[in-house]
Amino acid sequence: MALVPYEEGRALQGLRRPTATYRFAGQTVHIRQDWERRGVAAVVWDAAVVLSAYLEMGGIDLRDRSVIELGAGTGLLGIVATLLGARVTITDREPALEFLELNVWANLPSELHPRAVVKELTWGKDLGNFPPGAFDFILGADIIYLEETFAELLQTLEHLCSEQTVILLSCRIRYERDNNFLKMLKGRFSVNEVHYDYSKDVHIYKAQRHSHKDDF
């Protein structure tokens, strides 16, 4: 699930609201939140909003592309990718799935339901349930916080990637361990920062296998 540190102040007030509302792909998206009972996986973090906006405005054509979201949390990013025309597998750990499904099915028009699936994925453990290299895009927002998950996350990325797969990860760089993950990622993939949102202090990184010629 999307794991991020406790944040004080004004930002936390927004996390405590029962609903967060956004406008993407011509549709109003209402995301249920539940900070008190479910914690960090049940609120929308800025990294998901910034990457959703990047997908909508960044010149990326997701129509009929195969996409997987890791650590989906509330599902905003996967919902937006589906609205933009992708076929999306929206994943998280088992405890987060019920709440995730509520948001996904409440925000996708019925005709788009066949284009999205919510599925359990614990990094490094459920990989046999996912065909290797089957996805055009892998998305993740604020998923590189817990250092003890870094090795399993890298293993998962390597399993899901083909030579053509594009990984897009959005995050704040809060601690040195976040930079350590990026160093680990660069050891296995070609990594470039493709966007920085100054107002929210969120970076977006693109990663691909080293052997892939960068044409994106």
Side-chain angles (χ1 to χ4, degrees), residues 17-216:
R17 294 175 185 149
T19 305
T21 301
Y22 306 93
R23 185 80 179 174
F24 287 110
Q27 179 168 316
T28 300
V29 179
H30 300 284
I31 299 294
R32 291 178 59 181
Q33 301 190 121
D34 192 351
W35 170 273
E36 274 74 17
R37 291 195 306 155
R38 301 174 186 266
V40 296
V43 293
V44 178
W45 297 92
D46 285 341
V49 179
V50 171
L51 185 48
S52 294
Y54 180 81
L55 293 177
E56 184 174 38
M57 305 299 294
I60 302 171
D61 187 1
L62 292 181
R63 289 174 296 179
D64 292 320
R65 296 296 192 97
S66 179
V67 173
I68 185 167
E69 182 187 2
L70 306 181
T74 61
L76 174 65
L77 186 54
I79 291 166
V80 172
T82 308
L83 292 173
L84 292 172
R87 293 174 281 108
V88 187
T89 301
I90 306 171
T91 71
D92 211 322
R93 300 192 308 172
E94 191 280 330
L97 292 186
E98 180 182 5
F99 194 73
L100 173 58
E101 287 182 322
L102 288 174
N103 275 319
V104 170
W105 305 132
N107 283 286
L108 290 179
S110 58
E111 63 270 20
L112 293 184
H113 284 194
R115 302 186 69 85
V117 60
V118 176
K119 195 169 181 178
E120 179 181 358
L121 174 54
T122 299
W123 301 336
K125 295 184 179 180
D126 300 321
L127 300 183
N129 297 325
F130 298 84
F135 298 95
D136 298 311
F137 290 89
I138 300 172
L139 308 178
D142 255 335
I143 63 172
I144 59 170
Y145 171 64
L146 285 182
E147 194 164 16
E148 57 265 32
T149 68
F150 287 176
E152 289 81 7
L153 175 54
L154 285 171
Q155 180 187 358
T156 301
L157 291 172
E158 288 191 307
H159 174 83
L160 296 172
C161 273
S162 70
E163 297 298 322
Q164 289 74 40
T165 302
V166 174
I167 303 167
L168 292 172
L169 301 176
S170 61
C171 63
R172 286 182 180 168
I173 303 299
R174 298 176 174 91
Y175 305 106
E176 185 57 32
R177 60 177 175 261
D178 304 338
N179 282 316
N180 290 341
F181 174 81
L182 293 174
K183 292 176 184 176
M184 294 169 65
L185 189 67
K186 290 174 181 177
R188 306 190 192 189
F189 298 90
S190 296
V191 181
N192 296 291
E193 183 172 350
V194 294
H195 181 70
Y196 176 64
D197 187 306
Y198 289 91
S199 65
K200 298 185 185 300
D201 190 25
V202 170
H203 305 258
I204 298 177
Y205 297 95
K206 181 189 75 170
Q208 291 179 276
R209 289 193 181 276
H210 282 303
S211 58
H212 182 80
K213 192 172 183 179
D214 191 356
D215 58 2
F216 171 69

